C-alpha cells in the first residue's frame, strides 16, 4: 500500500488536502479516483463500478452525508447559536450586524452598525468579532475600543456582509470531530505565536507573520494600543509571544491531539451535532471557562472541517476512517 506521504509528494502547494485524501482513500478501498481539472485537484471524481460522485475544492462540501440544509445552517454562526440554545446547548451568544445598507428593507431592525456600537458598550467595550459566515479565522479578533471597532467594520466590509459580536471568554479551547455519535478525535488548540530572535521587535516580527497570512488569503493580525501590547518590545532569542485572538490552525495556531478532561465536553459536542442535524462535524468549544471546571460553551460547529491535523500527526488511519464513512454514505462502498 502506498503511504499518504507518497500521495502528497509531487503535488503543487495549492493542491487541496481533501483531494489528496480522496486519492489515498480510493487506492485503499479499490475505487477509481480522477482529477478532472488538469491536475489542479479543484474538481475530482470518485467512482465504483456503477456510480460516480464529484467533489470540488473551496467552499464545496467534502461531507455529502450532511444535508445541504444542515450544512448551510451550521455555516451561519448566528443560526447555529439560535438552534443550539433552543436545544439547551450553551453557546457564547452574541448578535449579528450588517456592514452594508443594501437589502436593509428586507431585514429586521436592530442589526446595523449603530446597533453594534450599543452592544459593544453593553458588553463593557471588550468583544470578540468575526464574520458571520467566515472561516479559517479570517478577521476574527478581539476589540477593546470603539475606534478600533469602527476601523474593523470598514476593513471587513470589503470582504463580508455581516459580522457576529460576542463577549470575550477565557478558557481552554478544544475541537471534537464526530462521525454520527462516534468521537473520531479530540484536539486542544493553542494560540499562534511569534518567536523572538533578540533583534527584532514584536512589530517587526508581525510584519513577516502577517505577510504569510496574506499569502494564504487571510486577514493580518491587527494589534493596536487597545491590546495593551508594547509593539516596540524586542523579544529575547527563543522567547515565545502568544498572539491574542483567533485560534485557527490556518491562522498559525497549533492543535495537539488531546481529549478534554471531562466527558461532559464530549456529550456537549454530541448534543450540538444532533441539534443541527449533522452527521459529520468538528465542534469547537471552550471548557474550564474562567477557571471553572464545570463551565463550557460551544464556540461554533464546522460542517466542512479540514482534517490536515491528522496528516500532520501521521494518522492516516483516521483519515481513512472519515473517508470510509463518506464513501459508504454515498453507496460507493458496501456497508
Amino acid at each position: 500500500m502506498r503511504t499518504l506521504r507518497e500521495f502528497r509528494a509531487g503535488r503543487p502547494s495549492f493542491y487541496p488536502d481533501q483531494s489528496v485524501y480522496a486519492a489515498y482513500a480510493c487506492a485503499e478501498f479499490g475505487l477509481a479516483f480522477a482529477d478532472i481539472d488538469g491536475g489542479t485537484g479543484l474538481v475530482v471524481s470518485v467512482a465504483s463500478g456503477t456510480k460516480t460522485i464529484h467533489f470540488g475544492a473551496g467552499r464545496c462540501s467534502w461531507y455529502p452525508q450532511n444535508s445541504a440544509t444542515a450544512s448551510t445552517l451550521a455555516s451561519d454562526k448566528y443560526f447555529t447559536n439560535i438552534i443550539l440554545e433552543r436545544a439547551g446547548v450553551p453557546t457564547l451568544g452574541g448578535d449579528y450586524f450588517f456592514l452594508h445598507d443594501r437589502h436593509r428593507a428586507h431585514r429586521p431592525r436592530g442589526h446595523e452598525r449603530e446597533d453594534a456600537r450599543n452592544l459593544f458598550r453593553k458588553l463593557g467595550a471588550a468583544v470578540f468579532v468575526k464574520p458571520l459566515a467566515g472561516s479559517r479565522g479570517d478577521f476574527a479578533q478581539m476589540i477593546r475600543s470603539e475606534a478600533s471597532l469602527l476601523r474593523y467594520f470598514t476593513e471587513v466590509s470589503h470582504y463580508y456582509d455581516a459580522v457576529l459580536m460576542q463577549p470575550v471568554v477565557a478558557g481552554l479551547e478544544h475541537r471534537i470531530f464526530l462521525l454520527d455519535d462516534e468521537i473520531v478525535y479530540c484536539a486542544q488548540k493553542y494560540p499562534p505565536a511569534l518567536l523572538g530572535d533578540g533583534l527584532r521587535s514584536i512589530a517587526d516580527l508581525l510584519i513577516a507573520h502577517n505577510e504569510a497570512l496574506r499569502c494564504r488569503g487571510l486577514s493580518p493580525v491587527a494589534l493596536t494600543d487597545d491590546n495593551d501590547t508594547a509593539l516596540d518590545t524586542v523579544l529575547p532569542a527563543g522567547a515565545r509571544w502568544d498572539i491574542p485572538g483567533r485560534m485557527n490552525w490556518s491562522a498559525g495556531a497549533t492543535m495537539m491531539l488531546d481529549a478534554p478532561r471531562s466527558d461532559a465536553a464530549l456529550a456537549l459536542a454530541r448534543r450540538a451535532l444532533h441539534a443541527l442535524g449533522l452527521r459529520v462535524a468538528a465542534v469547537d468549544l471552550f471548557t474550564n471557562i474562567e477557571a471553572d471546571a464545570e463551565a463550557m460553551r460551544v464556540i461554533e460547529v464546522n460542517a466542512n472541517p479540514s482534517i490536515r491535523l491528522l496528516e500532520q500527526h501521521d494518522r492516516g488511519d483516521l483519515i481513512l476512517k472519515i473517508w470510509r464513512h463518506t464513501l459508504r454514505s454515498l453507496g460507493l462502498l458496501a456497508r
Side-chain angles (χ1 to χ4, degrees):
M1 174 185 172
R2 293 171 60 190
T3 65
L4 180 55
R5 187 173 301 172
E6 290 176 297
F7 279 91
R8 172 72 68 179
R11 306 282 190 185
S13 60
F14 62 79
Y15 202 88
D17 291 339
Q18 287 282 27
S19 295
V20 174
Y21 307 150
Y24 178 54
C26 285
E28 172 69 13
F29 302 136
L31 299 173
F33 171 85
D35 183 327
I36 61 175
D37 187 44
T40 67
L42 297 180
V43 186
V44 302
S45 68
V46 175
S48 65
T50 59
K51 188 176 184 179
T52 300
I53 300 294
H54 294 92
F55 293 93
R59 292 195 177 274
C60 294
S61 174
W62 291 95
Y63 305 98
Q65 57 269 63
N66 288 334
S67 75
T69 297
S71 294
T72 303
L73 288 170
S75 71
D76 185 296
K77 298 172 179 61
Y78 181 78
F79 288 168
T80 296
N81 285 349
I82 290 294
I83 293 168
L84 294 185
E85 291 285 357
R86 183 176 176 83
V89 176
T91 73
L92 298 179
D95 207 347
Y96 66 97
F97 301 98
F98 293 98
L99 304 179
H100 303 279
D101 285 334
R102 64 178 182 270
H103 307 308
R104 190 165 183 166
H106 301 286
R107 60 197 189 219
R109 294 181 179 179
H111 300 280
E112 309 304 327
R113 291 196 189 196
E114 55 268 30
D115 302 304
R117 295 171 70 176
N118 292 334
L119 180 59
F120 177 76
R121 295 164 187 154
K122 183 178 179 180
L123 292 176
V127 298
F128 196 85
V129 191
K130 52 191 174 183
L132 187 62
S135 62
R136 303 187 299 153
D138 197 27
F139 288 107
Q141 64 187 70
M142 288 184 286
I143 295 179
R144 292 192 175 93
S145 77
E146 195 161 322
S148 293
L149 181 68
L150 297 179
R151 287 195 299 269
Y152 174 86
F153 286 161
T154 299
E155 177 66 16
V156 177
S157 68
H158 297 303
Y159 305 93
Y160 297 95
D161 289 328
V163 297
L164 181 71
M165 181 184 295
Q166 298 175 304
V168 174
V169 172
L172 301 178
E173 188 167 341
H174 302 271
R175 167 161 289 196
I176 301 174
F177 191 106
L178 302 100
L179 295 177
D180 294 322
D181 274 335
E182 183 178 1
I183 306 293
V184 177
Y185 72 85
C186 302
Q188 184 167 341
K189 296 186 175 186
Y190 300 90
L194 302 175
L195 192 63
D197 58 9
L199 300 173
R200 290 180 291 174
S201 67
I202 290 175
D204 289 336
L205 292 171
L206 277 173
I207 291 174
H209 179 82
N210 282 339
E211 183 58 32
L213 291 176
R214 289 189 182 95
C215 288
R216 296 198 294 272
L218 295 175
S219 61
V221 176
L223 289 180
T224 58
D225 292 339
D226 53 287
N227 293 93
D228 295 324
T229 299
L231 299 182
D232 59 352
T233 299
V234 175
L235 296 177
R240 175 187 170 99
W241 188 82
D242 289 343
I243 301 173
R246 51 192 170 187
M247 298 277 276
N248 302 75
W249 173 83
S250 54
T254 57
M255 289 196 290
M256 300 299 295
L257 295 176
D258 187 21
R261 298 172 186 173
S262 170
D263 287 341
L266 306 182
L268 188 64
R270 289 190 176 98
R271 289 168 58 197
L273 186 85
H274 294 164
L276 289 165
L278 295 167
R279 298 191 61 196
V280 181
V283 180
D284 292 336
L285 50 82
F286 278 126
T287 64
N288 203 45
I289 297 175
E290 307 299 340
D292 181 350
E294 303 299 319
M296 58 189 67
R297 292 181 179 274
V298 170
I299 302 168
E300 60 186 52
V301 180
N302 192 331
N304 192 32
S306 165
I307 52 176
R308 181 67 178 270
L309 171 70
L310 299 178
E311 182 180 358
Q312 290 183 320
H313 287 269
D314 198 25
R315 293 304 306 268
D317 59 318
L318 295 183
I319 291 174
L320 290 176
K321 184 183 186 73
I322 293 166
W323 268 95
R324 182 183 290 110
H325 186 280
T326 296
L327 297 171
R328 284 179 173 173
S329 73
L330 294 171
L332 292 170
L333 285 179
R335 295 190 177 276

